[in-house]
Amino acid sequence: NNVLPGQHETDRLRASYAHIAARDGVSFDEAWKAGKVEHPTLSFGQPEDFGSLVAFLRTDQVKFIVGQNIMVDGGAANIAF
């Protein structure tokens, strides 16, 4: 199985948005808020959202789920551009 994460509130994502803010000449908070509104949930995922799924997939309860790609992106991949 593959777990495919979207944007989750991590140090790496914060660093990316700090770069975006500097590039665009806006504050970090402005860039961060602008990023959030791009998502269907109007937020970024939490690391626990991803970790909980990974932990669940390691249990015997799901031993028959094999070879799946599971997106954990708050629906971001379903947006038509």
Side-chain angles (χ1 to χ4, degrees):
N1 295 312
N2 296 301
V3 181
L4 309 170
Q7 292 185 327
H8 288 73
E9 289 191 25
T10 61
D11 291 341
R12 181 177 180 182
L13 186 64
R14 286 183 190 86
S16 293
Y17 274 89
H19 175 76
I20 290 167
R23 180 197 68 198
D24 295 347
V26 298
S27 72
F28 173 82
D29 287 338
E30 289 175 295
W32 189 254
K33 288 176 185 175
K36 283 184 174 185
V37 300
E38 296 287 324
H39 290 271
T41 61
L42 302 177
S43 64
F44 297 124
Q46 298 299 311
E48 297 81 20
D49 299 330
F50 183 81
S52 295
L53 177 60
V54 171
F56 177 65
L57 289 171
R58 293 194 35 86
T59 68
D60 286 338
Q61 294 171 320
V62 293
K63 62 185 173 192
F64 214 63
I65 296 176
V66 178
Q68 299 303 306
N69 293 313
I70 304 171
M71 301 190 75
V72 185
D73 68 352
N78 297 325
I79 298 174
F81 291 98

